[in-house]
């Protein structure tokens, strides 16, 4: 896969974390697919299925005044056909590294989330996190 293929997927992934950091529920809703089915598994939560349930969870997380800081590191893009991609990465939330996967679909020419999952790592000592987390981006999907 070329850097040109990866660039819009990485931009969508980084937009997700920028929106998470800004706690912008309107922008979060815009990042998620509208036509494809969506799901989400937050650390320690049961699976959430369907856009309404997933957006309700993000509304609760982003509106909470003590929501932790989040950063993404070591992003690895995997293109799965012309309309599907996933990004495997390390999330760091409140200083704790998590293994995370974000799955995207190309809808109406833009990459949108269809699934997010993050889970704690059993042995964080073996995780190498790059020193330069992905930079925030102002690019948001509509």
């Amino acid at each position: 896969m070329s850097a040109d293929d990866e660039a819009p997927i990485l931009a969508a992934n980084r937009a997700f974390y920028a929106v998470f950091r800004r706690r912008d529920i309107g922008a979060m809703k815009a990042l998620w697919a509208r036509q494809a089915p969506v799901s989400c598994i937050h650390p320690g939560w049961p699976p959430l299925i369907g856009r309404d349930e997933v957006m309700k969870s993000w509304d609760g997380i982003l509106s909470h005044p003590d929501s932790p800081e989040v950063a993404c590191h070591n992003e690895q893009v995997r293109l799965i056909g012309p309309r599907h991609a996933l990004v495997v990465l390390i999330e760091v939330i409140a200083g704790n590294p998590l293994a995370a996967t974000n799955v995207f679909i190309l809808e109406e020419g833009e990459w949108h989330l269809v699934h997010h999952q993050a889970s704690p790592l059993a042995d964080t000592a073996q995780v190498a996190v790059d020193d330069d987390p992905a930079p925030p981006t102002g690019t948001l999907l509509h």
Side-chain angles (χ1 to χ4, degrees):
M1 175 176 11
S2 74
D4 288 343
D5 294 331
E6 285 187 13
I9 300 161
L10 284 172
N13 192 69
R14 291 173 182 170
F16 169 68
Y17 288 98
V19 165
F20 195 162
R21 282 189 293 277
R22 286 197 321 267
R23 299 181 182 149
D24 184 340
I25 189 60
M28 181 64 77
K29 288 178 180 178
L31 291 172
W32 285 80
R34 289 173 192 81
Q35 298 165 1
V38 301
S39 55
C40 185
I41 304 174
H42 299 293
W45 292 36
L48 303 172
I49 307 297
R51 186 174 165 84
D52 289 344
E53 194 171 347
V54 171
M55 291 304 105
K56 184 178 175 183
S57 76
W58 283 112
D59 188 40
I61 291 167
L62 299 179
S63 66
H64 195 280
D66 294 325
S67 289
E69 290 296 316
V70 62
C72 66
H73 300 269
N74 304 357
E75 299 165 284
Q76 297 180 42
V77 175
R78 300 290 183 259
L79 194 59
I80 306 168
R83 296 188 56 238
H84 299 88
L86 61 91
V87 180
V88 178
L89 62 130
I90 299 296
E91 270 183 11
V92 179
I93 297 182
N96 299 306
L98 306 168
T101 303
N102 296 319
V103 181
F104 294 89
I105 189 168
L106 194 59
E107 278 188 354
E108 299 177 5
E110 295 181 332
W111 290 99
H112 291 273
L113 279 159
V114 292
H115 182 76
H116 167 75
Q117 181 170 353
S119 59
L121 297 164
D123 185 1
T124 59
Q126 294 181 355
V127 176
V129 175
D130 59 29
D131 291 332
D132 186 23
T137 177
T139 305
L140 299 178
L141 303 177
H142 302 283

